[in-house]
């Protein structure tokens, strides 16, 4: 056995042991397709490590990456591919994911991989040839529009993040087909498998947390991150929320209150896709406070986030007379929010105390509900122009450019 084959075997064995791979078809694909041939300039050890690998930069920003193998396995299991399926992939990347899917759908199936970047398509073509993979049709085009020439598709999968479910993708799905995409839901990015029903709605089959580079081209989302000048912080605000004024939030940060210990402990997954998702779907003033800079401008005892981290918060709406902010912060002496542990709620500004009470109440309700995370939610996508039947639970509603996302907790 070659060194590459041994590395591949170790990777697949680890994915199985971690429960990321649990069906024979997905396992066979990972064992058959040599990942290192899709990352020819990457050391062998890194090619088979369970980590994402950036493969393209534009102005210092990563614009394409080879996804983490465990995330790829999760999404392939969500996708539920079968021999003979017609598949559309939006975001060709290195071509590795298309190769895995081609192995699963077999010679009677087809995979069309679309990417807006001609250089990425050319690279994927070289990689597929080097790996001797057939059955993949590569197309340079804007994936926001799908690829109508090959429709209808049994499966459409995005390997880039989107803040909308576009009508083109729905129109190109076969009846009963499945759309899998990293969907932005008020700050959380969720891998959502959606089945097209006879009612014209899409109903989620499974939901998982994820993190992907965003879609480019016509489907690119609006930037919802607003810098808070003078503090090295930024606010991430939902598109359909009341918004907040970063200038007034900066003034509120000048007036910190005492932290109030919370009755729960939180880790990074809870902050983003556990309590963070709950807060985003239940409180209109929910936002994320990000600390992208090494120096936040706040002493550690006021906001011990650390660089490239963040937290969840409630902020007053932009049209309110008095500003305020309340954030989840680590309890004194704990460090930052990247590890599980006790937390507190910190108020800032004239309205901070009231917001802190609301944030503590939201923590209590989330805890009482069993601390639900991303897999505990279900989503129904109602495209524009389609009526909502009465039996669909409304839950919480997120409005996007082309649809309404109805969110509800899974019963039980």
């Amino acid at each position: 056995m070659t060194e590459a084959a041994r590395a591949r075997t170790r990777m697949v064995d680890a994915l199985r042991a971690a429960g990321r791979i649990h069906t024979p078809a997905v396992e066979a694909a990972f064992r058959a397709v040599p990942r290192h041939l899709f990352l020819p300039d990457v050391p062998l050890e890194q090619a088979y490590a369970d980590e994402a690998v950036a493969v393209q930069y534009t102005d210092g920003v990563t614009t394409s990456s080879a996804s983490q193998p465990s995330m790829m396995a999760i999404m392939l299991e969500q996708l539920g591919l079968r021999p003979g399926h017609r598949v559309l992939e939006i975001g060709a990347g290195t071509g590795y994911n298309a190769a895995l899917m081609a192995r699963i759908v077999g010679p009677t199936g087809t995979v069309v991989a679309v990417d807006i970047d001609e250089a990425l398509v050319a690279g994927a073509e070289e990689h597929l040839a080097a790996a001797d993979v057939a059955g993949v049709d590569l197309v340079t085009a804007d994936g926001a529009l799908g690829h109508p020439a090959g429709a209808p598709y049994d499966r459409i999968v995005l390997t880039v993040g989107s803040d909308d479910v576009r009508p083109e993708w729905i129109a190109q799905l076969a009846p009963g087909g499945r759309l899998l995409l990293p969907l932005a839901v008020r700050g959380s990015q969720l891998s959502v498998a959606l089945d097209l029903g006879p009612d014209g709605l899409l109903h989620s089959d499974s939901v998982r947390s994820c993190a992907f580079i965003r879609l480019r081209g016509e489907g690119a989302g609006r930037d919802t991150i607003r810098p808070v000048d003078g503090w090295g912080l930024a606010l991430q605000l939902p598109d359909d929320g009341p918004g907040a004024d970063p200038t007034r939030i900066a003034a509120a940060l000048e007036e910190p209150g005492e932290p109030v210990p919370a009755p729960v402990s939180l880790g990074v997954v809870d902050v983003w896709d556990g309590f963070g998702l709950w807060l985003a779907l239940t409180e209109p003033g929910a936002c994320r406070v990000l600390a992208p800079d090494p120096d936040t401008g706040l002493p550690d005892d006021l906001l011990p986030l650390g660089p490239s981290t963040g937290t969840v918060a409630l902020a007053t709406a932009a049209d309110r007379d008095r500003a305020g902010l309340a954030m989840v912060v680590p309890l004194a002496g704990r460090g930052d929010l990247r590890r599980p542990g006790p937390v507190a709620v910190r108020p800032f500004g004239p309205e901070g105390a009231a917001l802190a009470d609301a944030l503590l109440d939201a923590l209590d309700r989330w805890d009482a509900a069993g601390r639900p995370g991303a897999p505990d939610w279900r989503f129904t996508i109602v495209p524009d122009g389609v009526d909502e039947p009465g039996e669909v639970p409304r839950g919480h509603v997120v409005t996007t450019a082309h649809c309404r996302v109805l969110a509800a907790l899974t019963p039980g």
Side-chain angles (χ1 to χ4, degrees):
M1 184 182 290
T2 65
E3 184 180 352
R6 285 193 293 270
R8 187 160 70 253
T9 297
R10 288 193 297 270
M11 180 189 76
V12 180
D13 288 348
L15 293 175
R16 271 183 53 88
R20 305 307 187 193
I21 292 175
H22 54 81
T23 59
V26 172
E27 179 181 354
F30 272 97
R31 293 199 186 278
V33 180
R35 188 173 193 247
H36 67 283
L37 296 182
F38 295 83
L39 296 166
D41 300 322
V42 173
L44 194 65
E45 182 179 349
Q46 185 181 3
Y48 286 103
D50 191 23
E51 59 185 31
V53 179
V55 296
Q56 185 187 74
Y57 297 89
T58 301
D59 297 328
V61 177
T62 302
T63 52
S64 182
S65 66
S67 299
Q68 184 181 13
S70 58
M71 190 69 240
M72 297 179 71
I74 289 169
M75 293 184 71
L76 285 173
E77 295 288 3
Q78 285 185 281
L79 198 54
L81 292 172
R82 296 184 178 86
H85 269 169
R86 296 182 58 83
V87 185
L88 172 64
E89 179 186 38
I90 296 170
T94 66
Y96 178 53
N97 194 59
L100 293 170
M101 294 191 296
R103 177 67 170 73
I104 297 172
V105 302
T108 59
T110 58
V111 176
V112 179
V114 174
D115 203 290
I116 197 170
D117 194 306
E118 186 175 357
L120 287 175
V121 171
E125 187 174 15
E126 293 177 4
H127 303 154
L128 288 163
D132 196 25
V133 174
V136 177
D137 182 16
L138 290 165
V139 178
T140 303
D142 189 340
L145 307 179
H147 184 60
Y153 301 99
D154 301 293
R155 299 289 188 267
I156 297 178
V157 55
L158 275 70
T159 55
V160 285
S162 175
D163 59 7
D164 195 11
V165 179
R166 293 187 60 88
E168 294 90 345
W169 305 332
I170 301 172
Q172 292 171 33
L173 268 181
R178 177 170 295 178
L179 168 66
L180 175 65
L181 77 164
L183 181 64
V185 180
R186 291 183 180 158
S188 290
Q189 198 179 81
L190 306 171
S191 178
V192 185
L194 297 161
D195 292 336
L196 179 61
D199 54 4
L201 308 182
L202 294 101
H203 305 271
S204 65
D205 175 79
S206 61
V207 180
R208 300 290 184 268
S209 298
C210 66
F212 280 83
I213 294 169
R214 291 166 63 178
L215 189 68
R216 291 187 279 167
E218 187 170 327
R222 293 188 301 160
D223 188 0
T224 58
I225 297 178
R226 304 285 183 266
V228 182
D229 292 338
W231 296 98
L233 300 173
L235 297 179
Q236 185 179 32
L237 303 168
D239 276 340
D240 63 339
D245 183 347
T247 301
R248 298 173 69 214
I249 294 301
L253 290 169
E254 300 277 3
E255 304 178 43
E258 290 299 317
V260 181
V264 300
S265 293
L266 299 177
V268 64
V269 174
D270 300 317
V271 170
W272 292 109
D273 296 328
F275 176 64
L277 180 57
W278 169 280
L279 190 71
L281 290 170
T282 59
E283 293 288 341
C287 63
R288 312 291 175 104
V289 179
L290 309 178
D293 298 337
D295 183 3
T296 64
L298 283 167
D300 284 347
D301 63 339
L302 287 183
L303 188 68
L305 295 181
S308 300
T309 62
T311 187
V312 291
L314 290 178
T316 49
D319 59 358
R320 292 285 296 272
D321 292 334
R322 286 155 42 98
L325 184 72
M327 293 183 284
V328 173
V329 298
L331 209 57
R334 195 196 125 183
D336 60 38
L337 290 167
R338 284 175 285 196
R339 57 187 176 87
V343 296
V345 170
R346 188 103 199 216
F348 295 84
E351 293 294 307
L355 292 171
D357 288 341
L359 193 52
L360 286 164
D361 180 64
L363 276 165
D364 284 340
R365 288 186 284 111
W366 173 71
D367 190 53
R371 300 171 65 99
D376 300 307
W377 290 89
R378 59 182 179 182
F379 295 94
T380 300
I381 308 300
V382 183
D384 287 352
V386 177
D387 293 332
E388 300 170 20
E391 66 268 18
V392 174
R394 288 199 60 85
H396 312 283
V397 182
V398 178
T399 303
T400 73
H402 295 98
C403 67
R404 297 175 306 288
V405 181
L406 312 185
L409 284 173
T410 303

